Amino acid sequence: MQVARAPAPLYTDKVGSRLILLPGASRLTPRRFTSVSARSMSIDDQAAAGGLYNVEVHSNEPGMRCTVEQVMLENAKEHCLLIVARGLSHSSFSVTAYFDELAHTSIGRHLIVSKSVSSTQQILSACNTSLPRGTIFVTDIQSQGKGRGNNHWVSHAGCLMFSFTDTFRDGRSLPCVQYLVSIALIEAVKSYVATLDPGDTYLAQLSELKIKWPNDLYFGNEKIGGVLCNSNFENGEYFMTIGVGFNVSNEGPGINLANIIGCTGDVDMMSRERLLVHFLEKYQERRHSFCIFGFESLKVQYLQNWLHSDQPVVLQETVCGVVVDIDLVIKGLTNAGLLLAEDSFGQKYELSPDGNGFDFFRGLIRRKYHE
């Protein structure tokens, strides 16, 4: 009797037929369950019993589904993934609606979906060098959603959560990819909302939707979205995994898009699928100029949509063990993407997002020191 042992990845080809990749196996070996208990268990029950996450793999390019699926199978054991047939992940994200909308982008044609995983960012980051460029992973819920540094993104159903892969050759541009994504996200939200209301009533409600430097979206004083970028270098290219979270219709924490435009009574009209396609279109459009001209080509759009122009802040530095406060005014960003500030004497300060701690709503910037 052959029994599957968690967390070995289990490939479900169709209901009633299973292929098991046993630990240490170099290839898939077909095995059928012969025990009554195994046959009687639903796929969800098998996944839950083994601590596995159901995921589906789709592609609208012939032959590419198998490529993506094989990469996911090779990483399934490490991330407790159960690769299942279409519809069996029970995700509320509609694959059909997504591909019906997707028409004008090369990114997003290879789609992985799940009802729940640990972290789409963590999983794709582990295998992004093997996946086709533009592979995207969407989930309804994350148990270990990632934020900048050691922060966590709290993930609830109704939030648009996804990660996707991309490649860049110029390493100097990598710190600015988060700005590119932030611009594309805020423009996508506005273009999507405009399709819901030809009279622009909804769009007018988004005047307070802004970018909090470097890569968060806020509405007023409440966070509504965020961006995270990780990269690996291999064979002369930087393989980037880009993660996005945006509150569409989820119930907390914080505000969501349905609250802002007043659609709380009709959340069915809030389509994660259509918003995602709007994002991919904006991202591809902005990426083209970014790759040719760098962040300078996007800086105006970024500054038009951020919170911080002429914001007074206090930079706290430690000098000989004493904390010194320096009064600054934010003036913009450098072409390299550093925060540009100025003191009362005209002295300029260029501040990196990774070398400083920011509490903009308290007007504080703290230097980070590493021993």
Side-chain angles (χ1 to χ4, degrees):
M1 179 175 67
Q2 184 67 43
V3 180
R5 297 177 61 189
L10 178 68
Y11 175 68
T12 302
D13 184 44
K14 59 185 178 179
V15 176
S17 178
R18 285 124 172 99
L19 297 174
I20 304 170
L21 186 63
L22 298 175
S26 59
R27 61 184 177 85
L28 281 173
T29 304
R31 307 276 186 180
R32 282 187 185 273
F33 285 107
T34 56
S35 69
V36 174
S37 59
R39 285 202 307 270
S40 63
M41 291 176 69
S42 71
I43 290 172
D44 280 344
D45 288 340
Q46 292 174 34
L52 305 177
Y53 299 108
N54 291 347
V55 298
E56 305 171 25
V57 178
H58 306 271
S59 178
N60 65 356
E61 293 185 7
M64 291 306 297
R65 175 180 175 272
C66 291
T67 300
V68 176
E69 194 169 74
Q70 182 60 40
V71 174
M72 298 309 294
L73 281 168
E74 290 168 357
N75 288 270
K77 181 178 180 181
E78 179 182 356
H79 299 288
C80 300
L81 304 180
L82 177 71
I83 313 301
V84 299
R86 183 171 185 144
L88 297 182
S89 73
H90 302 297
S91 169
S92 62
F93 187 87
S94 171
V95 175
T96 300
Y98 170 76
F99 280 119
D100 283 348
E101 291 285 334
L102 191 72
H104 306 296
T105 71
S106 58
I107 292 177
R109 297 192 174 276
H110 318 301
L111 173 68
I112 305 165
V113 296
S114 69
K115 181 177 182 179
S116 174
V117 292
S118 54
S119 164
T120 59
Q121 188 75 1
Q122 187 178 58
I123 294 168
L124 284 196
S125 292
C127 55
N128 63 1
T129 58
S130 302
L131 288 166
R133 174 180 172 267
T135 300
I136 190 165
F137 193 161
V138 181
T139 189
D140 298 343
I141 300 171
Q142 292 185 114
S143 60
Q144 301 172 35
K146 302 298 181 183
R148 287 185 68 242
N150 294 320
N151 294 331
H152 295 277
W153 176 261
V154 180
S155 310
H156 293 283
C159 177
L160 175 61
M161 293 170 284
F162 63 94
S163 298
F164 66 99
T165 62
D166 201 354
T167 56
F168 296 87
R169 290 191 176 274
D170 185 0
R172 296 169 298 179
S173 70
L174 294 187
C176 297
V177 172
Q178 60 188 333
Y179 305 148
L180 160 65
V181 180
S182 299
I183 294 169
L185 181 56
I186 200 168
E187 290 182 343
V189 172
K190 292 179 178 180
S191 67
Y192 166 65
V193 167
T195 67
L196 301 178
D197 175 31
D200 289 343
T201 302
Y202 291 160
L203 194 58
Q205 305 298 320
L206 295 177
S207 60
E208 292 186 61
L209 182 63
K210 298 290 183 181
I211 301 169
K212 175 180 171 288
W213 188 78
N215 54 11
D216 287 330
L217 262 63
Y218 270 69
F219 185 82
N221 292 335
E222 293 190 74
K223 184 173 179 178
I224 191 172
V227 173
L228 179 64
C229 299
N230 304 116
S231 65
N232 300 318
F233 182 75
E234 186 174 300
N235 297 327
E237 287 189 304
Y238 294 91
F239 291 80
M240 180 82 64
T241 304
I242 298 166
V244 175
F246 188 81
N247 295 338
V248 178
S249 59
N250 48 297
E251 296 183 1
I255 200 166
N256 62 51
L257 184 59
N259 295 144
I260 294 172
I261 65 176
C263 289
T264 53
D266 188 15
V267 295
D268 289 339
M269 73 179 293
M270 307 303 297
S271 169
R272 291 182 297 153
E273 297 82 3
R274 292 184 59 204
L275 177 55
L276 176 54
V277 171
H278 276 260
F279 167 80
L280 295 175
E281 291 174 348
K282 293 295 183 182
Y283 175 81
Q284 183 161 295
E285 176 186 335
R286 292 299 187 186
R287 182 188 186 278
H288 179 72
S289 59
F290 176 79
C291 289
I292 297 173
F293 303 108
F295 175 61
E296 187 174 2
S297 65
L298 305 177
K299 189 166 69 171
V300 171
Q301 288 82 7
Y302 187 91
L303 296 178
Q304 285 175 344
N305 287 287
W306 81 335
L307 288 166
H308 310 296
S309 295
D310 295 320
Q311 179 182 352
V313 294
V314 175
L315 173 63
Q316 293 187 337
E317 295 207 84
T318 301
V319 180
C320 298
V322 178
V323 177
V324 177
D325 290 350
I326 304 172
D327 292 325
L328 302 175
V329 176
I330 296 175
K331 293 298 184 182
L333 294 172
T334 69
N335 289 338
L338 300 178
L339 188 70
L340 181 63
E342 192 175 284
D343 66 17
S344 57
F345 300 102
Q347 176 70 39
K348 290 181 170 53
Y349 293 74
E350 296 182 356
L351 305 170
S352 165
D354 296 324
N356 300 278
F358 301 91
D359 187 347
F360 281 118
F361 293 109
R362 294 178 59 196
L364 286 177
I365 300 176
R366 296 183 180 89
R367 293 284 197 195
K368 291 181 180 177
Y369 294 93
H370 303 282
E371 298 182 1

